Amino acid sequence: MKVMKFGGSSLADAERYLMVKDITLQTHLQTGAAVVLSAPKGVTNALSLLVDLAIAGKDYQELFEKLSMTLNGIVNELAIKLPGFDDQRLLAYIDELLTELHHNLEGIRLIHCSPDAVTAKILSLGEYVSVNIFSGVISALGHDNLIIDPVRYVLAEGDYLDSIADVAVSKARFDDVPTGKGTMLIMPGFVAANDKGEKVTLGRNGSDYSAAILAACIDSDCCEIWTDVDGVYNADPNQVEGAVLLDKLTYQEAMELSYFGAKVLHPKTIGPIAQHHIPCLIRNTLNPSAPGTLISNEPSEVWTSVKGISHLSDITMFNVAGPGMKGMVGMASRVFEVISNGNISISLITQSSSEYSISFCIHSKDANRALALLEEAFKLELANQLLEPIEMRQELAIVTLVGDGMRKVKGLAAKFFSSLAQARVNIVAIAQGSSERSISAVIESHKAREAVKVVHQNFFSNLHTIDAFLVGCGTVGSELLSQISRQQKQLLNRNISLKVYGIANSRALLLRPGGIELENGWRDQLGQSKQTLSLPVLEEFVQENSLVNPVIIDCTTSTQVADQYLDMMQAGFHVVTPNKKANTKGMDFYAALRETAQKTRRQFLYETTVGAGLPVIDNLQKLIYAGDELVRFEGILSGSLSFIFGKLEEGLSLSEATRIAREKGYTEPDPRDDLSGMDVARKLLIMARESGLQRELQDIEIESILPDDFDDSGSVQTFLDNLVTLDPVYQELLQRAQQEGKVLRYVGTIEQGQCKVGIQAVDSKHPLYVVKDGENALAIHSHYYQPIPFVIRGYGAGAAVTAAGVFADVLRTMPWKQE
Ligand code: ADP
Ligand code: ASP
Ligand code: MG
């Protein structure tokens, strides 16, 4: 005979009861079935809340009516769907239970407390309704069935609300129960009785345990736990994308996983089934054809050192410390005795080797009680300062890695902790089970989901995520979005999930928890958004959506955005940008950016600030790291000026050339930044700083294309119109150069520490003679590269190459790229 347990998630409505009927009858007709049922979905939570409201003296009528509607609703619907279903008897039964419940709640409200015995009775109401409904369904189909009341059969001891079954005594009581294909047994889960015959419960989520007890008591050959997922996964499938279904788990592995929070199975379940060697299958009511996960003594053929990861939230950690602890025999046992006498269960213990302190974790609901008990028990030691005031740290979580094979493999703990570091999680305490089957870290609970996600990614999937937020969607920004949109699928094939979660401009911010659809519509949605960009809003979004690798891409030219990079990195974001403003502020800020990046383990990447898509910064940094030194530098650093000066040679005027360059997207949004020489000066300053020179922007000697007496005020359009007045000046300058066989180039140089940008006339032998039409060329003369310099040359302007360079930087934020 098989035991088949169905949880609340399988019993949400009338439809589900009928599904459960189909599944159980099929098995019953083959092998005989003993069915254990939970309350319908949400009912125990509602009952628990009703008790809390009554204790607090609050109005609970609305919730009470909702509960009544849920229960009656299931019966009424079954009456429609199932001919012969005795709804009247059930409605009368529910009415009777609810009347008693109401009576109890009123009593609780009057005395402002609910004795545990009463609470246990109230909480188990849903299970009784559930089995009676189900029995009605089975009877309507003409099958014999028998409701087993655990109060008569299952003996348990301990707390009214969290008891442990005495399987041996209970087993004897089952002697008179018929087993086999004749009568289907139906038992409410979660309930038992103490030795006084009073109703107790087995702890929240305890119906799984009831199934295991029943399986042991009737010598069942299999215990099936039917729920709403296909089996046990290596992480909660409802929280971790890409969680993998496990085919088999050993009892011990299942025990550790569930003990440390995998809700799919109550940890107490394992005791009876392991002791009686009963195989246990976790299966899905909504997908009965799935084979499920087998929990038994059999290890899986698919060997992995780590089986899964789970987390427990609502944890409080206590730290008992003080000089009185040192070497004092029995201190630990006194601490734990106090806690155990309070019927409080401890999830994790760590002790420092100096014995100076003991830390342990318990569920937060028991925290205040535990503190009071400890303070009372150690009153003397506290008064005499042998103990420091007992420290209580709340809002914690325990993240645990589980697997039988863990003891055979080295380096797992290191990988676990570096994964937590990668998620920027602070570790409060660590513990390793003596079986070496689990490693746990106590962390702040608001980081738990992120932590599980990152650890899962590092241990079980090769999937790396990049969670991008774009600020500034002008030419480069929009181009970047189209490039990302085109590449997303290919990247996913290479195990990189790059999603853009936010897009902002100076007016609005668009955020989408599932990632923004980049193909179309984002611009309209951004236009309609009422939200505006602020770092706290982004931080909250990252937190709420448990994003583990957030990157801000600044495609603006704004100083105001650049000013926030330090805060952004502090808040956990990598920063990627083609914006030169941050790197060209004062040296203090330049140094602070690097220091903050290092401290926060975030990346600050700005490859496109010099030479757009050309790999300039990266190469220069590598040379310097390798001990090389810059001797001299010269280069055409501006794609727009390269284009404009090339066009001058072809006979175009300065104003025409500028207009075309702007139309092609080669210039900065405001071409004055290019023609003033300021943009090139910023690039040269970055080159100088990357080479180790401590320079400020005012140290760069700038020869502007715009003479001092030129009026460059007004709008961009006015400026372009006025530029015509300079055309003859440049025509003449060019003619003079051409007479000497030279061309004009706008060149940046660093020589003997002097940084200069300006117009140079170069002859045909000069390497920059041929560099035009938007090309950049950078000649790095260094100790290693001489007499022939290291030259980087190629297109250095335009939205496409710049965006591609930014894209490459974004990809460099992936964790494995950082190692
Ligand atoms: P039931 O009502 O059937 O008892 P529960 O809600 O108690 O169902 O347990 C099932 C839930 O357990 C799943 O929906 C899933 O979100 C959660 N869960 C947590 N960890 C795991 C895991 N490792 N594998 C499968 N499910 C898990
Ligand atoms: N109905 C009980 C609860 O919600 C027991 C269970 O579902 O396992 O805790
Ligand atoms: Mg459950």
Side-chain angles (χ1 to χ4, degrees):
M1 191 171 206
K2 267 188 189 165
V3 169
M4 306 175 83
K5 177 260 167 177
F6 292 83
S9 60
S10 304
L11 300 166
D13 50 32
E15 195 74 49
R16 296 273 171 93
Y17 275 86
L18 294 177
M19 284 164 87
V20 171
K21 172 263 297 174
D22 288 339
I23 295 170
T24 50
L25 273 182
Q26 204 183 7
T27 302
H28 182 60
L29 299 176
Q30 284 167 9
T31 61
V35 180
V36 175
L37 297 183
S38 289
K41 189 172 184 169
V43 166
T44 318
N45 281 348
L47 290 164
S48 170
L49 196 56
L50 280 170
V51 173
D52 291 345
L53 288 173
I55 291 174
K58 292 195 183 141
D59 182 18
Y60 54 77
Q61 204 51 37
E62 198 182 324
L63 181 60
F64 186 88
E65 266 145 35
K66 219 170 128 201
L67 172 70
S68 161
M69 262 164 62
T70 304
L71 298 177
N72 288 311
I74 297 173
V75 173
N76 290 332
E77 218 181 309
L78 281 170
I80 298 168
K81 289 184 190 290
L82 192 66
F85 180 69
D86 188 355
D87 58 329
Q88 292 311 312
R89 186 186 68 78
L90 281 157
L91 292 175
Y93 175 68
I94 292 171
D95 188 51
E96 191 185 313
L97 291 187
L98 290 181
T99 307
E100 194 187 343
L101 170 66
H102 202 271
H103 185 72
N104 282 332
L105 290 172
E106 275 306 289
I108 294 169
R109 199 150 71 140
L110 278 177
I111 58 170
H112 286 293
C113 88
S114 176
D116 286 350
V118 177
T119 308
K121 228 169 97 183
I122 293 177
L123 290 189
S124 58
L125 180 148
E127 267 70 12
Y128 280 90
V129 174
S130 196
V131 289
N132 277 281
I133 292 177
F134 190 67
S135 163
V137 170
I138 298 296
S139 300
L141 291 162
H143 294 278
D144 276 352
N145 63 87
L146 176 69
I147 294 180
I148 305 277
D149 189 352
V151 171
R152 227 190 99 197
Y153 290 93
V154 181
L155 173 70
E157 55 188 43
D159 206 302
Y160 280 101
L161 298 176
D162 199 1
S163 283
I164 308 275
D166 183 328
V167 175
V169 175
S170 307
K171 193 171 165 51
R173 295 182 182 175
F174 273 87
D175 275 352
D176 62 342
V177 172
T179 53
K181 292 191 217 173
T183 305
M184 181 189 277
L185 303 180
I186 305 173
M187 183 176 101
F190 186 46
V191 191
N194 60 18
D195 55 4
K196 293 192 216 115
E198 295 169 302
K199 199 178 274 178
V200 300
T201 70
L202 301 170
R204 289 303 310 269
N205 211 9
S207 293
D208 302 332
Y209 181 34
S210 301
I213 299 164
L214 180 61
C217 288
I218 61 172
D219 291 323
S220 174
D221 45 18
C222 182
C223 176
E224 293 185 348
I225 308 281
W226 290 76
T227 181
D228 61 351
V229 286
D230 276 353
V232 183
Y233 286 71
N234 59 5
D236 186 343
N238 287 321
Q239 286 188 18
V240 177
E241 203 183 325
V244 178
L245 183 64
L246 302 169
D247 62 341
K248 288 178 187 172
L249 280 172
T250 62
Y251 291 122
Q252 288 87 345
E253 285 173 329
M255 174 74 196
E256 298 275 347
L257 266 181
S258 62
Y259 181 81
F260 284 111
K263 187 183 165 217
V264 65
L265 194 66
H266 193 288
K268 285 196 249 170
T269 317
I270 306 296
I273 55 174
Q275 199 189 346
H276 293 81
H277 304 285
I278 302 168
C280 176
L281 263 176
I282 312 295
R283 301 190 63 180
N284 190 351
T285 309
L286 308 174
N287 182 20
S289 58
T293 301
L294 175 67
I295 300 170
S296 67
N297 281 321
E298 248 178 77
S300 170
E301 288 89 48
V302 191
W303 192 88
T304 46
S305 53
V306 179
K307 266 299 170 55
I309 165 160
S310 52
H311 82 272
L312 265 181
S313 29
D314 293 324
I315 292 293
T316 295
M317 190 166 92
F318 280 83
N319 190 25
V320 183
M325 300 279 292
K326 186 141 183 65
M328 196 191 274
V329 178
M331 199 61 184
S333 76
R334 269 183 69 198
V335 170
F336 297 130
E337 198 181 305
V338 171
I339 299 301
S340 135
N341 287 344
N343 247 324
I344 297 169
S345 91
I346 295 179
S347 319
L348 178 148
I349 301 169
T350 63
Q351 183 175 22
S352 71
S353 59
S354 67
E355 299 176 39
Y356 181 68
S357 77
I358 295 173
S359 304
F360 63 91
C361 291
I362 61 172
H363 197 282
S364 296
K365 72 175 167 31
D366 298 320
N368 288 333
R369 207 155 51 86
L371 182 65
L373 289 171
L374 286 169
E375 284 177 344
E376 175 59 29
F378 291 99
K379 210 161 37 185
L380 275 180
E381 288 84 348
L382 286 165
N384 294 317
Q385 277 143 30
L386 287 169
L387 283 186
E388 287 160 12
I390 291 164
E391 195 191 330
M392 183 166 95
R393 238 182 121 166
Q394 286 180 295
E395 294 183 11
L396 299 176
I398 303 175
V399 177
T400 305
L401 210 55
V402 174
D404 275 350
M406 282 173 47
R407 69 198 115 147
K408 293 191 201 134
V409 181
K410 293 197 174 63
L412 290 177
K415 190 168 170 187
F416 180 46
F417 297 125
S418 69
S419 302
L420 294 175
Q422 187 189 317
R424 294 174 26 94
V425 171
N426 262 343
I427 297 173
V428 178
I430 55 181
Q432 178 169 28
S434 57
S435 62
E436 292 184 50
R437 201 172 273 123
S438 67
I439 307 174
S440 302
V442 183
I443 65 170
E444 286 164 358
S445 74
H446 69 100
K447 281 284 195 177
R449 280 182 76 157
E450 270 166 82
V452 171
K453 222 166 131 176
V454 174
V455 175
H456 184 269
Q457 251 171 35
N458 288 350
F459 277 91
F460 304 110
S461 82
N462 294 320
L463 188 74
H464 297 278
T465 55
I466 302 176
D467 314 312
F469 296 83
L470 175 72
V471 184
C473 36
T475 343
V476 174
S478 324
E479 171 61 24
L480 177 65
L481 290 180
S482 351
Q483 291 185 4
I484 293 178
S485 161
R486 284 199 298 273
Q487 272 309 102
Q488 270 169 329
K489 255 212 188 103
Q490 271 85 334
L491 287 173
L492 209 54
N493 290 340
R494 291 163 172 253
N495 282 325
I496 300 166
S497 160
L498 167 56
K499 284 189 191 164
V500 178
Y501 287 92
I503 302 176
N505 57 21
S506 52
R507 294 173 299 281
L509 166 69
L510 173 68
L511 288 173
R512 288 281 179 273
I516 296 169
E517 172 64 65
L518 296 179
E519 253 151 39
N520 45 42
W522 65 263
R523 210 175 272 282
D524 289 343
Q525 290 166 26
L526 178 63
Q528 282 153 19
S529 169
K530 297 272 173 293
Q531 225 171 357
T532 51
L533 176 68
S534 83
L535 189 52
V537 169
L538 294 190
E539 270 185 271
E540 199 181 310
F541 182 87
V542 166
Q543 178 69 43
E544 268 174 16
N545 295 283
S546 307
L547 304 184
V548 294
N549 198 35
V551 184
I552 291 178
I553 310 166
D554 171 19
C555 283
T556 69
T557 52
S558 150
T559 310
Q560 214 189 341
V561 178
D563 282 346
Q564 296 180 56
Y565 292 172
L566 298 180
D567 294 337
M568 290 173 181
M569 288 189 272
Q570 300 278 14
F573 293 88
H574 301 291
V575 176
V576 169
T577 187
N579 179 355
K580 291 173 273 290
K581 297 289 162 52
N583 269 338
T584 54
K585 289 181 71 159
M587 261 321 277
D588 291 355
F589 190 69
Y590 181 85
L593 283 167
R594 277 131 194 97
E595 212 173 286
T596 307
Q598 208 162 35
K599 263 201 211 139
T600 55
R601 294 169 59 101
R602 299 291 89 180
Q603 301 250 34
F604 170 48
L605 298 167
Y606 46 88
E607 179 60 82
T608 46
T609 53
V610 181
L614 298 177
V616 178
I617 303 285
D618 194 37
N619 279 309
L620 184 58
Q621 284 176 343
K622 281 181 183 148
L623 282 182
I624 304 291
Y625 287 153
D628 204 355
E629 261 177 71
L630 185 77
V631 175
R632 188 159 66 89
F633 169 80
E634 61 188 341
I636 292 183
L637 292 166
S638 160
S640 40
L641 295 185
S642 157
F643 179 85
I644 291 168
F645 279 84
K647 287 289 169 229
L648 289 183
E649 267 162 69
E650 288 173 21
L652 263 67
S653 68
L654 177 70
S655 58
E656 277 169 329
T658 307
R659 202 180 294 275
I660 297 172
R662 183 161 185 267
E663 276 162 19
K664 286 187 178 287
Y666 284 0
T667 63
E668 292 291 304
D670 187 337
R672 275 170 286 209
D673 287 342
D674 298 289
L675 296 179
S676 66
M678 191 41 95
D679 185 58
V680 178
R682 287 187 192 276
K683 290 173 181 167
L684 192 71
L685 177 62
I686 296 172
M687 286 297 285
R689 288 179 168 179
E690 292 297 315
S691 328
L693 293 172
Q694 309 249 328
R695 292 291 177 278
E696 300 291 347
L697 198 52
Q698 54 276 23
D699 298 332
I700 315 279
E701 200 181 306
I702 306 174
E703 185 192 344
S704 169
I705 290 167
L706 310 169
D708 284 349
D709 56 359
F710 177 76
D711 177 14
D712 66 356
S713 60
S715 67
V716 169
Q717 197 48 51
T718 317
F719 166 73
L720 286 171
D721 293 342
N722 282 347
L723 202 57
V724 180
T725 59
L726 285 184
D727 288 347
V729 179
Y730 277 87
Q731 226 156 354
E732 203 193 314
L733 204 62
L734 179 71
Q735 269 167 14
R736 249 190 286 147
Q738 281 174 337
Q739 278 159 12
E740 295 172 22
K742 293 180 176 172
V743 293
L744 299 180
R745 295 289 177 258
Y746 199 81
V747 184
T749 53
I750 304 174
E751 194 153 18
Q752 293 180 338
Q754 293 291 326
C755 305
K756 222 166 112 180
V757 296
I759 303 166
Q760 281 185 21
V762 297
D763 63 24
S764 61
K765 286 193 214 87
H766 196 284
L768 300 182
Y769 182 88
V770 288
V771 180
K772 56 182 185 174
D773 293 339
E775 253 199 289
N776 275 197
L778 299 93
I780 298 167
H781 303 259
S782 69
H783 281 314
Y784 295 166
Y785 284 91
Q786 54 178 345
I788 299 172
F790 173 39
V791 177
I792 304 170
R793 188 180 152 185
Y795 275 107
V801 278
T802 310
V806 174
F807 199 160
D809 270 354
V810 169
L811 292 175
R812 285 169 67 200
T813 61
M814 261 177 316
W816 54 265
K817 285 278 184 190
Q818 294 167 38
E819 277 160 9

